[in-house]
Amino acid sequence: MAMPLRQSIKVATYLAEQRIRRRDKFPLIVELEPLFACNLKCEGCGKIQHPAGVLKQRMPVAQAVGAVLESGAPMVSIAGGEPLMHPQIDEIVRQLVARKKYVFLCTNALLMRKKMEKFTPSPYFAFAVHIDGLRERHDESVAKEGVFDEAVEAIKEAKRRGFRVTTNSTFFNTDTPQTVIEVLNFLNDDLQVDEMMISPAYAYEKAPDQEHFLGVEQTRELFRKAFAGGNRRKWRLNHSPLFLDFLEGKVDFPCTAWAIPNYSLFGWQRPCYLMSDGYVPTYRELIEDTDWDKYGRGKDPRCANCMAHCGYEPTAVLATMGSLKESLRAMRETVSGNRE
């Protein structure tokens, strides 16, 4: 795990505070969606299926920042839609960074070079660029030619200017261990991004393409083979070791979607950003009035093939904190990743 040491210490301290206060449910990172509009129409995305009136809406800065502060989470992932289309996205980021929240701005990178001057490099801020494969595979995934090349140039420019850059790659049943290896090698070795996040595609109901999502056994086989031969240790993956074990099928976990809550134009979404069982106006209502025990694989049929980070990465993090052996293992990988 290549999470910066300062961030690792802050998150570990935060988790220790929750344990001291005996809180059984708390957020690790908030998924903030200040808009649903996007400049792409990716086959696996359901966010752009909202009516035109909703797609025109932009969340006010005070509302966006207030939701994060209400939750108390130490980290924020700003998604959408395409957040760089929000006219005040730089102000949202600035205010969150000023409060020492770790902010990841998720983007397809089409507007990144144009908007980059609005942001300031900071250890609390990173661009999180979506890359689903090398040129042909990525452009097919986003249904537009030239997006991969633009994303690569944007990443290079951001790195040149001193920004932290992470990536997020979603893999489908059309992927093979070799395509996973190729794109992660490219991101890790050629582009030298700071961290990489990976996710098996999950067939949530609003996605236009329902044919190319991975099942549980497909996911385990894909990552087991891709991680073989020492690849997993050399890649700067932004995941806990136990979550990577989970992807390989070495361990299994229950879902803890409450630890990565979603806040959008509609409010706090139940139970996660991939499923919509209604919205509530406050974080407290989300936590206290949601029947969390009814979600997850083996409980809700909609969750049958889900191995997404929003449900299972928090469980892995909490399991790590509850084990001295796993805590030392995660610490070793963090220190190793920061030496490279």
Side-chain angles (χ1 to χ4, degrees):
M1 182 171 61
M3 181 186 290
L5 190 58
R6 179 189 300 182
Q7 184 179 344
S8 298
I9 292 172
K10 180 168 183 176
V11 172
T13 302
Y14 169 79
L15 290 172
E17 289 173 353
Q18 307 314 305
R19 178 174 292 182
I20 291 171
R21 295 177 183 181
R22 298 184 178 180
R23 291 177 177 168
D24 60 346
K25 290 183 176 62
F26 48 85
L28 284 175
I29 182 169
V30 168
E31 294 272 1
L32 177 66
E33 296 178 327
L35 79 172
F36 292 128
C38 190
N39 48 6
L40 288 176
K41 296 182 179 180
C42 303
E43 291 296 322
C45 179
K47 299 297 181 179
I48 57 173
Q49 304 305 311
H50 292 291
V54 173
L55 294 179
K56 291 179 181 179
Q57 295 179 29
R58 305 292 184 264
M59 186 181 293
V61 174
Q63 182 181 346
V65 175
V68 175
L69 298 181
E70 177 193 5
S71 75
M75 299 180 287
V76 187
S77 174
I78 305 179
E82 169 52 55
L84 288 177
M85 292 176 64
H86 193 297
Q88 295 175 293
I89 189 61
D90 55 318
E91 182 61 18
I92 294 175
V93 169
R94 189 192 69 77
Q95 291 197 26
L96 290 172
V97 166
R99 291 167 171 82
K100 295 186 177 180
K101 302 293 183 181
Y102 284 93
V103 180
F104 299 85
L105 194 155
C106 303
T107 176
N108 58 38
L110 286 181
L111 294 172
M112 194 166 146
R113 287 198 286 177
K114 180 180 178 180
K115 303 282 188 177
M116 203 175 297
E117 63 184 22
K118 292 177 174 288
F119 301 90
T120 302
S122 165
Y124 290 96
F125 174 70
F127 286 107
V129 181
H130 191 82
I131 300 287
D132 276 351
L134 297 182
R135 181 180 291 107
E136 182 178 353
R137 195 165 196 83
H138 180 72
D139 287 354
E140 180 182 7
S141 175
V142 301
K144 185 175 182 178
E145 292 185 2
V147 176
F148 177 83
D149 288 338
E150 177 59 31
V152 168
E153 291 305 312
I155 290 171
K156 290 179 179 178
E157 178 65 14
K159 294 285 289 181
R160 186 186 70 80
R161 295 192 187 196
F163 287 98
R164 290 185 62 235
V165 181
T166 70
T167 55
N168 181 16
S169 299
T170 304
F171 297 106
F172 297 81
N173 65 12
T174 50
D175 277 292
T176 66
Q178 189 57 36
T179 63
V180 175
I181 291 169
E182 287 172 355
V183 69
L184 294 183
N185 277 344
F186 176 75
L187 296 171
N188 192 85
D189 302 336
D190 294 63
L191 285 186
Q192 298 185 359
V193 300
D194 294 280
E195 301 162 3
M196 300 175 290
M197 190 169 75
I198 56 179
S199 181
Y202 164 63
Y204 64 111
E205 58 186 3
K206 286 185 176 292
D209 180 0
Q210 293 288 321
E211 298 180 3
H212 297 116
F213 292 98
L214 289 161
V216 171
E217 290 307 318
Q218 287 178 301
T219 295
R220 289 170 175 166
E221 181 179 6
L222 177 67
F223 288 111
R224 188 162 51 242
K225 291 180 178 178
F227 290 162
N231 286 329
R232 175 175 152 175
R233 289 190 297 275
K234 79 169 186 175
W235 291 328
R236 291 182 296 278
L237 297 173
N238 186 20
H239 295 288
S240 64
L242 275 179
F243 180 72
L244 299 178
D245 288 349
F246 169 74
L247 290 181
E248 288 192 67
K250 293 179 178 179
V251 296
D252 202 7
F253 292 122
C255 174
T256 49
W258 46 262
I260 306 186
N262 173 274
Y263 185 78
S264 72
L265 294 165
F266 300 144
W268 294 98
Q269 182 173 335
R270 290 184 174 135
C272 65
Y273 82 101
L274 293 172
M275 290 170 56
S276 181
D277 281 359
Y279 298 84
V280 292
T282 68
Y283 174 74
R284 182 173 179 176
E285 287 177 81
L286 175 74
I287 295 301
E288 295 182 357
D289 298 343
T290 303
D291 185 1
W292 298 101
D293 291 335
K294 73 178 186 180
Y295 296 105
R297 284 185 290 111
K299 297 178 180 180
D300 188 317
R302 295 172 298 175
C303 305
N305 289 316
C306 181
M307 295 182 71
H309 73 280
C310 63
Y312 296 98
E313 176 82 82
T315 327
V317 171
L318 295 173
T320 298
M321 290 296 295
S323 165
L324 177 59
K325 177 182 177 182
E326 292 298 336
S327 295
L328 292 173
R329 178 189 178 199
M331 188 180 302
R332 285 195 302 269
E333 295 197 18
T334 297
V335 173
S336 175
N338 279 279
R339 285 177 177 171
E340 293 180 358

